[in-house]
Amino acid sequence: MLPDENQSLEEFKIQLMDGPKPVTRTYTVRQIRSDPLEMDIDFVAHGENGPASKWVMNANPGDFIGFAGPSSPKIQNFYADWYLIAADMSALPVAAATLEAMPEDAKGVAIFEILSEADKQKFSIPSGIDVNWVVSPDPYSSSTKQLEFLKQMQWPSGIVQTCVAGESAVIRTLRNYLNNDKNIDRRHTYISGYWKIGLVEDEHQAYKRAQSDA
């Protein structure tokens, strides 16, 4: 929850209690430590047009924001024969957190769609996970690279659990392929649109609600 420009901490605390609700953006907690009390959150620095990006690019020691949550992990029980993880830049944190929580003997495939080779990251994940980086330099066009990868890969046998997240149009095609073409039981899948080309988060959340009600 983001304070207004030049808003004092006391004013912000009053707003949190009395309203209106501050501008809010949703992120995945990458790491949290109790001593010292620290939390790691990955931001996409996409200029000063977005309120969260603007805040983090100008943040200094002593600056403040509000937090609520966290919600439950997207996959709480790991029981599958293999795992499928697919994410774009917006969903790398949730994908990484999921992979890092897996049992050491987990096997599966991870597909990360990034903007450039410089966006590759190192994760502490099971050796049985086959990690694939796909470069797609245009974030303003709906990509088909993850779907193409899935269609060409050798599909392991057994129960698969998925953690798939990213741009809504891409997610819609992946969900259709996984649920309908590959007949994966929806109980084993986490598939979620995190953003939509041309929409800010508030607009995207309204879009998702409208799709759910349709």
Side-chain angles (χ1 to χ4, degrees), residues 7-182:
Q7 189 176 25
S8 71
L9 178 57
E10 288 304 315
E11 291 170 336
F12 187 59
K13 288 180 178 178
I14 292 172
Q15 182 181 358
L16 291 179
M17 291 186 295
D18 299 340
K21 183 180 179 181
V23 173
T24 301
R25 293 295 182 263
T26 306
Y27 290 88
T28 295
V29 175
R30 282 292 290 113
Q31 300 285 343
I32 190 164
R33 294 170 292 281
S34 58
D35 186 20
L37 189 59
E38 295 177 337
M39 180 166 60
D40 298 340
I41 300 175
D42 289 347
F43 286 79
V44 176
H46 52 78
E48 297 201 356
N49 293 327
S53 179
K54 180 179 181 179
W55 184 89
V56 77
M57 291 176 69
N58 293 282
N60 292 300
D63 288 353
F64 58 89
I65 50 178
F67 293 94
S71 61
S72 300
K74 302 310 178 186
I75 299 180
Q76 300 184 45
N77 299 303
F78 296 95
Y79 54 80
D81 298 302
W82 67 284
Y83 300 89
L84 174 64
I85 309 296
D88 65 9
M89 294 286 290
S90 72
L92 272 179
V94 72
T98 300
L99 286 164
E100 290 168 352
M102 286 182 181
E104 292 184 2
D105 61 350
K107 296 178 174 59
V109 178
I111 312 161
F112 300 128
E113 187 165 0
I114 54 178
L115 301 180
S116 71
E117 292 287 337
D119 293 315
K120 289 183 177 180
Q121 300 181 22
K122 292 184 178 180
F123 310 127
S124 177
I125 62 176
S127 59
I129 301 295
D130 176 28
V131 177
N132 302 270
W133 297 92
V134 178
V135 176
S136 182
D138 183 7
Y140 302 105
S141 298
S142 183
S143 171
T144 61
K145 290 189 175 181
Q146 293 181 62
L147 180 62
E148 291 168 0
F149 185 99
L150 291 180
K151 288 183 175 180
Q152 294 172 7
M153 68 176 257
Q154 183 175 358
W155 205 258
S157 59
I159 295 174
V160 55
Q161 282 180 275
T162 75
C163 179
V164 178
E167 198 277 323
S168 285
V170 174
I171 292 302
R172 186 168 58 249
T173 62
L174 296 181
R175 179 184 289 112
N176 180 67
Y177 179 73
L178 294 172
N179 290 152
N180 298 326
D181 290 50
K182 304 306 292 186

